[in-house]
Amino acid sequence: MDRLIVFRHVRAIDPSSALDAVIDVVIEKDRIVRLGPDAGAEAAKAEWAQVITAPGAWLLPGLVDLHAHLREPGQEYKEDIRSGLAAAAAGGFTDICAMPNTLPVNDSRMVTEAMLARAHEVGGTRLHPIGAITVGQRGESLTEMGDLREAGAVAVSDDGRCVTNSAVMRRALEYASVFDLPVIQHAEDHALTEGAQMHEGSVSTRLGLRGWPRVAEDIIVSRDLLLAEYTGARYHVAHASTEGTVRLLREAKSRGLRVTAEVTPHHLLLTHEAVGLYDTACKVNPPLREQRDIEALRQGLADGTIDAVATDHAPHATIDKGCEWSEAKPGMIGLELCLPLLLGLVAEGALPLARLVTSLTQAPAGIARLPDKRIREGARADLVLIDPEERWTIDASCLRSKSHNTPFLGRTVKGRVKMTMVAGNVVFESTPRSS
Ligand SMILES: NC(=O)N[C@@H](CC(=O)O)C(=O)O
Ligand SMILES: [Zn+2]
């Protein structure tokens, strides 16, 4: 018998289809076949139907992450494709894009194909590799972007490193546009951040750490916007962290440039004060900044200047973090915490729910040119069911990721992913509430 899943009386939220209503959603095989008030009443009577009645639950399109580090190949002790995809499914993601700073770097068809073959074996959440911009991420010669694209890469980036040479960046934008690939920049002028350990400000002064000033990001973003305008290419800013980046993007977009940007949950929620007394869980690139940056990033996300939320899920093992601050690797995990943390922002009134949903679904899908994320008849059944009321405390034992490097451990959040579905297949289902 073909698969038949019936969601009864769920609040379905899909801003791109102007949908926010309590309805039934019926899934046959891999597609949404019917939706509407009581549209599932008949189907629910079928003996083989799997009926999901979850009063108060929300049904959203499957989430898309433009920026995750899965560490395979090469650093599987931090994460691998299996654990990374399991974490993604538990976080409500049906599609994630994997950054190329693996070992070896994903700068070739061979690595892209190997990653995809592995993801295929594992199943569940879909993996979309991002190829490197330059060979070995060394910032010198361009990769074979046509090959990467043909093998399945959805974008190019040297993330972890910035393409600082203007001539290389210009050629990268020109070359990538031949293949309609967005160029994702990790905007950091390395000359200004040499030896830097955190945001340059009052906390870095107090702790005696060398600072990573905002302007190191702003300089690259402003130069890149000029190059994007000159070349007409698709340019995307990874993990925007400064007030200046938001201002520059707003101006560029007002003139119709084809530029996009993402922001991470941690840059929307934490300032440099979180570093406290050298808490290495808060060491991240770009660094946690100040309240005025948070305000600008939230405003930018709310008004669409920043298109997408991306996790920058950057797993690191205890050995990489349980050391002196200066030795600790930058990065924090995010796949399983993104949605509940940001639902907190919505609850506070700092972000409209519709913007949050769009920035985690339709917007990143569009940037990576993935199929639409929609809740409507005929759409692929990529869905996430959440209980918006469930309170839970973030604890290492409930994480699927191999690494637990996050400053949010111990924080109580409201809202939990109950089920994730990829093309009608349930790839994650939470155990029923124990209380
Ligand atoms: N964000 C980080 O602090 N670290 C990332 C690289 C990156 O995104 O810059 C990593 O790969 O660990
Ligand atoms: Zn980066």
Side-chain angles (χ1 to χ4, degrees):
M1 210 60 76
D2 280 337
R3 178 188 303 123
L4 176 61
I5 300 175
V6 185
F7 289 98
R8 293 280 276 155
H9 311 305
V10 287
R11 179 178 170 197
I13 307 171
D14 172 16
S16 341
S17 307
L19 172 68
D20 185 346
V22 176
I23 55 173
D24 292 356
V25 178
V26 183
I27 289 134
E28 271 177 34
K29 297 186 217 162
D30 61 338
R31 302 265 149 194
I32 297 172
V33 293
R34 256 187 314 288
L35 75 174
D38 277 319
E42 274 308 305
K45 291 182 192 151
E47 220 176 290
W48 63 93
Q50 185 189 346
V51 182
I52 297 155
T53 29
W58 294 356
L59 191 68
L60 313 182
L63 312 186
V64 177
D65 190 7
L66 283 174
H67 190 149
H69 298 273
L70 297 190
R71 309 302 189 205
E72 182 174 351
Q75 291 186 306
E76 290 84 352
Y77 70 99
K78 298 180 194 236
E79 194 82 285
D80 58 24
I81 288 174
R82 176 183 293 282
S83 62
L85 292 182
F93 291 92
T94 54
D95 294 83
I96 62 170
C97 303
M99 281 297 175
N101 62 339
T102 45
L103 289 173
V105 166
N106 181 13
D107 57 7
S108 69
R109 168 192 287 274
M110 218 172 57
V111 180
T112 299
E113 282 175 350
M115 287 169 69
L116 282 170
R118 182 69 191 127
H120 194 72
E121 260 168 44
V122 168
T125 291
R126 300 182 197 94
L127 172 75
H128 305 280
I130 294 173
I133 297 172
T134 64
V135 174
Q137 295 192 299
R138 283 191 290 274
E140 294 158 8
S141 38
L142 299 183
T143 54
E144 293 288 358
M145 295 183 191
D147 268 6
L148 288 166
R149 158 87 202 251
E150 221 175 81
V154 294
V156 287
S157 178
D158 272 1
D159 186 56
R161 299 282 307 164
C162 180
V163 179
T164 49
N165 182 307
S166 304
V168 174
M169 189 60 183
R170 175 210 172 155
R171 295 293 178 215
L173 288 163
E174 287 172 343
Y175 195 33
S177 66
V178 173
F179 308 105
D180 193 32
L181 288 168
V183 176
I184 303 179
Q185 178 73 294
H186 166 116
E188 170 178 2
D189 185 336
H190 293 294
L192 282 168
T193 62
E194 220 185 311
Q197 296 288 331
M198 67 174 300
H199 171 66
E200 182 172 286
S202 55
V203 180
S204 67
T205 304
R206 189 168 77 223
L207 297 179
L209 295 172
R210 188 168 307 179
W212 191 143
R214 290 185 182 91
V215 71
E217 177 169 311
D218 302 348
I219 281 178
I220 298 295
V221 171
S222 66
R223 178 207 67 179
D224 286 354
L225 290 172
L226 294 169
L227 287 172
E229 182 165 20
Y230 188 61
T231 58
R234 294 171 63 205
Y235 172 70
H236 178 83
V237 181
H239 43 48
S241 77
T242 68
E243 187 184 46
T245 290
V246 179
R247 190 179 62 238
L248 290 161
L249 284 165
R250 190 171 283 129
E251 193 272 340
K253 285 190 165 192
S254 75
R255 289 189 299 108
L257 264 66
R258 290 205 301 170
V259 295
T260 53
E262 67 189 35
V263 62
T264 71
H266 47 276
H267 288 108
L268 290 167
L269 292 168
L270 299 175
T271 69
H272 60 164
E273 298 286 351
V275 169
L277 284 174
Y278 309 95
D279 177 2
T280 59
C282 290
K283 185 170 177 179
V284 64
N285 270 339
L288 302 175
R289 300 210 184 263
E290 297 182 35
Q291 198 55 39
R292 57 189 247 225
D293 301 288
I294 288 193
E295 300 301 335
L297 292 165
R298 289 179 178 184
Q299 184 55 44
L301 182 60
D303 69 20
T305 301
I306 295 179
D307 305 80
V309 166
T311 67
D312 192 7
H313 177 79
H316 289 293
T318 311
I319 191 173
D320 305 309
K321 284 288 195 180
C323 50
E324 243 185 66
W325 177 275
S326 61
E327 298 297 313
K329 297 279 191 302
M332 51 180 88
I333 55 168
L335 286 168
E336 294 170 83
L337 310 179
C338 176
L339 188 61
L341 286 172
L342 294 184
L343 285 172
L345 267 190
V346 172
E348 274 173 41
L351 184 65
L353 177 60
R355 270 301 299 151
L356 175 63
V357 175
T358 301
S359 69
L360 278 167
T361 56
Q362 195 67 10
I367 293 165
R369 298 271 198 261
L370 304 179
D372 271 357
K373 294 285 164 181
R374 292 287 175 90
I375 302 186
R376 64 174 180 202
E377 256 175 49
R380 197 164 63 176
D382 286 354
L383 298 165
V384 52
L385 184 75
I386 62 180
D387 177 347
E389 295 300 324
E390 185 172 337
R391 282 180 192 280
W392 58 290
T393 301
I394 299 167
D395 178 84
S397 67
C398 57
L399 299 174
R400 266 84 180 161
S401 178
K402 279 192 192 180
S403 294
H404 303 143
N405 52 304
T406 166
F408 294 108
L409 290 181
R411 181 180 286 219
T412 298
V413 287
K414 195 170 134 200
R416 190 158 207 179
V417 173
K418 304 307 280 182
M419 179 189 278
T420 307
M421 187 182 280
V422 174
N425 285 309
V426 176
V427 298
F428 169 78
E429 202 167 359
S430 80
T431 45
R433 249 187 273 190
S434 46
S435 55

